[in-house]
Structures are given as C-alpha cells and as structure tokens.
Amino acid sequence: FFRGLLSSMYLVMSSLLLSLLLPLYFAPNARLYTWERNFMALYVLSDTHLSGATEKPMDIFGERWKNHTERIGYFFEKTLRTGDTVVIPGDISWGMTLEEALPDLQFLNSLPGKKILMKGNHDYWWSTVSKIEKFFAEHQLSTLSLLFNNAYKVESFALCGTRGWYSDSTNPPCTDRAKIVLREAGRLERSLQAGRQLEAEELLAFLHFPPVWGSFVCRELLEVLLRYGVKRCYFGHMHGQYNLAPTFEYEGISFTLASSDYLQFRPLSIV
C-alpha cells in the first residue's frame, strides 16, 4: 500500500514540476536561467578578440573559435539582464585605432548588461582614458566603462585591476621589465585603494595577464594582491589549454582563467 502511495505521489510531483518548467524552457526568447533573482549578477569574459572592421579571423587558431562573435552575442543574450555587469579583462578588439574598434565596441554596447573594459596586450586601439570616454560619449556607447586606475562597486564587491605583466613566447622578457612591472603594480595598488574606499565586503582583482601561471610568478603583482587581502583573481590571455582546471590556488589566492575560448564564449558567473 505504502509503496503504491509513494509511487503515485512521485508521479504527481513530477508532473507538477514539469508543468512549471517546460513553459519556461520552451518560451520564446527564454533565458538560460529559470528562477527570478533579486540581485544584479556579475560575470567575467576575457579575450573576446573581436574583428568587425579588420581581417582577423580567429578560427585560424582552431575549430573552437568558429563563429565566436555570434556565440558571444548568443550567450550574452541568453544569460544577462540589463542591470548585470560583465568585466572584460583585455584583448577586446583587433582594431588598431578607436575608429577601427568602433564596430566591435558597438557590438558589445548592444548586448545586455554593463560592460567594464580593461586593456590587454593586443588592444592597440586603447588611448588615454579621457579620449576613450569622449569617444564613448560621442558614439553613445553608454553601457561601456573602463577599469583603469579606478574601481567599481557591484553588489557587495569592489572590482579592481590592471593589465599586469607576463613573459612567454608572444610577450618575451625585455630590458624594460622592471619599469613595466613597477608601473603595473602601481596601477593595481591604486585600483585596490579605490576599491577599499567603496566599503565593499570583498575586493575582486581582474588582470589580463596571469600573475601566476605554471612556474611563472610575478612577485611584485602578487605582493600587492596579498597586501590588500585579495582572495579571488580572474585573468585571461591564455588560450588553447582546455583540459586544465579553471581555478587554482597560490598563497591563499584563487586564480581563475576567464579567456573566452576556454569558457566556450559563455560569460563566467561570479555572483
């Protein structure tokens, strides 16, 4: 008797759950989330490598990159709401100037959410903050902001960061390393100082280059992160290594790879 009763209850509950979820799943323009949330979400997606005005097809780097611009647009539309925020830590556009980068910036501006842009090693279009912000205003790029010697507060988090520095085959050691690292460490510290003034519960760090990767450690940047009590750091720049764990720990800090190809062009949820 009890077994039959439990079986009947299971069927009734399953039918009820399906009747609630199926309309959401198959509804026109259904988003990937199904439950309403009462907070603004925060995401990260680095290295979009857009090329709306330049001949720079990314699929030459592998099948993973095929139609990547369309896939970025698709996952933004399906994941984000208007009030959400996405940090894009560099390598945004292959444009050589602001004018060449404009189609890519307009594309990002058209997507849901607020986009906080950072400089990567391939963002040759990047100019001074004042020139970029003026350009944004002239072209009504109202959903784009810059993270550069400043910080933003989203929910209970302060968003801080800088480009950083890394030595590899595409960015080899140079005689100006000490000068560059000192400059980047200073920018990171200024950003974290600004973040502290926002009275957030946690400082989140975003860098284009990883401060730690394999045997590489940029001690100068790591010391700044440790001094300000940063527990989570997100970075990009690394590509083509898809079998690695997304997050690793070093000296009490969690480092998370957020390159778009690694994430299969889905913005990574932070909160």
Side-chain angles (χ1 to χ4, degrees), residues 69-83:
T69 301
E70 291 79 4
R71 292 161 69 189
I72 288 171
Y74 173 83
F75 286 117
F76 265 76
E77 293 287 351
K78 293 297 182 182
T79 307
L80 276 80
R81 299 190 305 186
T82 301

Side-chain angles (χ1 to χ4, degrees), residues 17-74:
L17 187 60
L18 285 172
S19 68
L20 290 172
L21 293 181
L22 285 176
L24 289 172
Y25 184 79
F26 290 108
N29 302 317
R31 293 183 182 273
L32 295 183
Y33 56 80
T34 57
W35 304 111
E36 189 69 21
R37 46 185 165 83
N38 58 2
F39 61 88
M40 300 306 176
L42 173 63
Y43 298 87
V44 59
L45 184 74
S46 187
D47 296 72
T48 52
H49 285 291
L50 301 172
S51 56
T54 59
E55 288 296 326
K56 192 73 174 183
M58 289 300 294
D59 54 10
I60 64 172
F61 299 107
E63 190 71 16
R64 186 93 159 205
W65 286 95
K66 189 174 181 179
N67 299 322
H68 85 286
T69 301
E70 291 79 4
R71 292 161 69 189
I72 288 171
Y74 173 83

Side-chain angles (χ1 to χ4, degrees), residues 14-226:
S14 298
S15 298
L16 178 60
L17 187 60
L18 285 172
S19 68
L20 290 172
L21 293 181
L22 285 176
L24 289 172
Y25 184 79
F26 290 108
N29 302 317
R31 293 183 182 273
L32 295 183
Y33 56 80
T34 57
W35 304 111
E36 189 69 21
R37 46 185 165 83
N38 58 2
F39 61 88
M40 300 306 176
L42 173 63
Y43 298 87
V44 59
L45 184 74
S46 187
D47 296 72
T48 52
H49 285 291
L50 301 172
S51 56
T54 59
E55 288 296 326
K56 192 73 174 183
M58 289 300 294
D59 54 10
I60 64 172
F61 299 107
E63 190 71 16
R64 186 93 159 205
W65 286 95
K66 189 174 181 179
N67 299 322
H68 85 286
T69 301
E70 291 79 4
R71 292 161 69 189
I72 288 171
Y74 173 83
F75 286 117
F76 265 76
E77 293 287 351
K78 293 297 182 182
T79 307
L80 276 80
R81 299 190 305 186
T82 301
D84 294 339
T85 299
V86 185
V87 181
I88 305 179
D91 282 6
I92 296 158
S93 167
W94 284 110
M96 298 297 291
T97 64
L98 276 167
E99 287 72 22
E100 276 194 359
L102 181 58
D104 301 328
L105 297 171
Q106 289 173 327
F107 168 71
L108 290 175
N109 185 69
S110 71
L111 300 178
K114 303 171 186 176
K115 278 70 66 173
I116 297 178
L117 311 184
M118 299 175 62
K119 184 180 181 180
N121 58 308
H122 291 301
D123 288 311
Y124 303 112
W125 58 271
W126 194 281
S127 183
T128 64
V129 169
S130 60
K131 287 182 180 178
I132 297 174
E133 289 180 341
K134 181 182 178 183
F135 187 83
F136 285 0
E138 289 172 347
H139 293 86
Q140 299 179 324
L141 304 175
S142 59
T143 72
L144 309 184
S145 302
L146 304 180
L147 179 54
F148 192 84
N149 290 329
N150 59 346
Y152 295 89
K153 188 175 182 181
V154 174
E155 293 292 319
S156 60
F157 302 98
L159 315 184
C160 313
T162 189
R163 186 187 70 162
W165 178 252
Y166 180 78
S167 296
D168 64 4
S169 59
T170 62
N171 201 45
C174 64
T175 55
D176 290 334
R177 179 199 177 277
K179 179 180 178 181
I180 294 170
V181 170
L182 184 64
R183 180 191 65 199
E184 290 300 313
R187 287 174 175 168
L188 179 59
E189 181 139 23
R190 285 191 291 276
S191 182
L192 289 165
Q193 286 173 347
R196 272 188 176 175
Q197 295 174 4
L198 298 175
E199 299 181 352
E201 293 180 12
E202 182 180 356
L203 299 175
L204 298 178
F206 300 86
L207 289 93
H208 177 66
F209 294 120
V212 178
W213 185 259
S215 62
F216 172 84
V217 178
C218 185
R219 196 75 229 176
E220 297 88 340
L221 292 172
L222 184 63
E223 290 297 336
V224 176
L225 296 174
L226 292 168

